[in-house]
Amino acid sequence: MTSFEPTTLRTERLVLRPPEEGDAPDCFAAVDQVVRRWMPWAREYTLESARRWCAKEAFRDPRREASFAIVPERTGRFGGVIGFSRADWETGVAETGYWIGPADRRHGYVTEAVRAVARYAFGLGLYRLELLAAPGNVASQRVAERAGFTREGVLRKARPAPDGRSDMVLFSLLEGEL
């Protein structure tokens, strides 16, 4: 039995660290129309929501989930989030997910972050990471593919979406494939 511990991960261009209360203004600003389109929680997102999440929500249940702020070293500012959910340590499976604000898109940061958290997860003893993306979210699917995930299929009406339930494309990465 294990869990995710608040820790800092580093890549060539990124610092992935637990969110801090001071990240709230940048976190709120990063939630634009693109994020709102794909993330149901983002529809009614406020600065207070961002403050609450940055202050205490990121590692509230470390046995099942964890979130890291994506901080590009070139800016030193919060750019987005990557993390884990639905971790099952008994089966060795967890889901990873992410979002990033407009200022930090198209730099390859999310792909770099996905690889880093995958190494971290496999180092903790997980065997399989799953990643879900809406069929229309082509950018997220491309990140999964560039990070080495394999497309497995489509889960019908698998997740709530801002406009109802959405199918989700399932990708996976196994230990040893990174």
Side-chain angles (χ1 to χ4, degrees):
M1 220 184 304
T2 191
S3 66
F4 301 110
E5 298 297 328
T7 189
T8 298
L9 308 174
R10 296 186 182 279
T11 70
E12 184 177 322
R13 303 178 300 155
L14 302 172
V15 175
L16 307 174
R17 59 162 173 75
E20 301 167 351
E21 197 165 346
D23 291 328
D26 290 331
C27 179
F28 176 67
V31 178
D32 68 343
Q33 291 306 324
V34 172
V35 175
R36 290 178 199 281
R37 179 176 181 197
W38 303 114
M39 303 295 181
W41 56 263
R43 181 169 273 179
E44 303 297 326
Y45 205 60
T46 64
L47 181 55
E48 183 54 35
S49 303
R51 280 192 180 107
R52 193 171 36 256
W53 184 82
C54 288
K56 60 183 172 187
E57 297 292 317
F59 281 85
R60 72 171 181 229
D61 184 4
R63 291 255 322 118
R64 297 196 35 84
E65 59 189 55
S67 296
F68 298 87
I70 299 172
V71 181
E73 287 197 3
R74 72 177 173 83
T75 66
R77 298 176 64 134
F78 178 101
V81 174
I82 188 161
F84 303 101
S85 62
R86 299 184 313 120
D88 182 336
W89 298 95
E90 199 169 299
T91 63
V93 178
E95 181 181 335
T96 188
Y98 43 79
W99 63 268
I100 196 156
D104 295 305
R105 290 186 192 129
R106 295 176 197 77
H107 296 285
Y109 293 150
V110 177
T111 301
E112 192 172 320
V114 168
R115 289 180 181 144
V117 298
R119 277 190 292 280
Y120 170 70
F122 295 144
L124 291 176
L126 290 172
Y127 178 77
R128 174 185 166 96
L129 285 181
E130 295 178 345
L131 190 155
L132 299 174
N137 192 343
V138 175
S140 189
Q141 291 180 54
R142 286 188 182 139
V143 166
E145 291 165 350
R146 283 193 302 267
F149 282 67
T150 298
R151 180 186 167 124
E152 291 190 352
V154 176
L155 303 174
R156 299 180 311 143
K157 303 293 183 202
R159 287 287 166 89
D163 55 353
R165 293 204 64 88
S166 175
D167 293 349
M168 298 301 282
V169 180
L170 171 64
F171 293 86
S172 70
L173 182 70
L174 304 179
E175 182 182 35
E177 293 180 339
L178 188 61

